[in-house]
Amino acid sequence: MASEISPKAEIDPRAKIGNNCKIYPFAYIEGDVVIGDNCTIYPYVSILNGTRMGNDNTVFQGAVLAALPQDFGFKGESSELIIGDRNTFRENVVINRATHSDGKTVIGNSNFFMEGAHISHDTKVGHRCVFGYGTKIAGDCEIGDAVIFSTSVIANARTRVGSCSLIRSGCTFSKDIPPFIIAGGSPIEYNGINSMMMTTYEIDAKTQKHVANAYRLVFHGQTSVFDAVLQIKEQVPDGKAIRMITEFIEGTKLGIITKI
């Protein structure tokens, strides 16, 4: 089915637009852009060079995709913003493309970006995440799957957030947040496991108890974090969720957030 494109939209003829898209008046789309099928682009959206968008995405008024990196290392190179399928970008969302030609900013599938969210250069976002109003993610961050950021969260550069975590409103963090936890406060700290999200993603009650025991060793123990990882391997029954925790912590470069 042919796309419905307003004659009042400004679209470079080199842009590749899929089938059954709807593009409203005053949208602006540059030439080095690929948009998949069944996408809706509302008025006053800017989709800039380097955007590679999949299917079934919706972009609301004032959003800017593939904005130039806000990085002093940017020298004008061509780079990309890769967007999967079924994402929603609400009003005034800004996503920066990568700083260098060998980098990518990546947005997975089925994510929801509320008004005013900002994802900076070279950040990688997984699937089924929610970014609350005014949340700002700095450059070179890694966000797992099914992460929820509440309102006005700030993630500083190169931080990682593990899957199925929830970050409460107003938090700022400069260290990694492991999977399956709730984090909140100022300074940010561990607030328990995110049992609701684990249940949503069919992680059974027994496994949730193992996850809670693992984090008791990490956040309530009297040892270093890395000694706690050794204790987890010795004391907590193995499984996919437990390995996600230990591998995440072992892979940290910035350290993890504060113990209670």
Side-chain angles (χ1 to χ4, degrees), residues 191-207:
N191 287 180
I193 66 167
N194 191 5
S195 56
M196 181 183 73
M197 189 60 70
M198 285 193 283
T199 299
T200 298
Y201 286 92
E202 299 180 345
I203 297 174
D204 61 65
K206 184 176 181 181
T207 299

Side-chain angles (χ1 to χ4, degrees), residues 232-253:
I232 291 170
K233 292 179 178 180
E234 292 171 355
Q235 300 176 27
V236 180
D238 190 28
K240 181 180 177 181
I242 300 303
R243 287 194 297 274
M244 286 174 65
I245 294 168
T246 57
E247 291 171 4
F248 184 96
I249 295 173
E250 289 173 332
T252 187
K253 295 179 181 178

Side-chain angles (χ1 to χ4, degrees), residues 165-186:
S165 286
L166 183 152
I167 297 87
R168 288 180 162 149
S169 296
C171 290
T172 297
F173 60 95
S174 300
K175 293 187 176 183
D176 294 347
I177 296 178
F180 310 122
I181 75 168
I182 298 171
S186 180

Side-chain angles (χ1 to χ4, degrees), residues 195-237:
S195 56
M196 181 183 73
M197 189 60 70
M198 285 193 283
T199 299
T200 298
Y201 286 92
E202 299 180 345
I203 297 174
D204 61 65
K206 184 176 181 181
T207 299
Q208 292 185 37
K209 289 181 180 179
H210 295 331
V211 168
N213 287 334
Y215 281 126
R216 286 191 190 98
L217 294 170
V218 172
F219 290 109
H220 296 282
Q222 302 301 313
T223 64
S224 71
V225 170
F226 290 100
D227 284 342
V229 169
L230 295 176
Q231 292 179 344
I232 291 170
K233 292 179 178 180
E234 292 171 355
Q235 300 176 27
V236 180

Side-chain angles (χ1 to χ4, degrees), residues 60-64 90-94 114-118 136:
F60 282 80
Q61 290 90 332
V64 182
R90 290 303 304 255
E91 295 80 0
N92 304 314
V93 167
V94 176
M114 294 186 185
E115 185 273 326
H118 186 169
K136 313 295 182 183

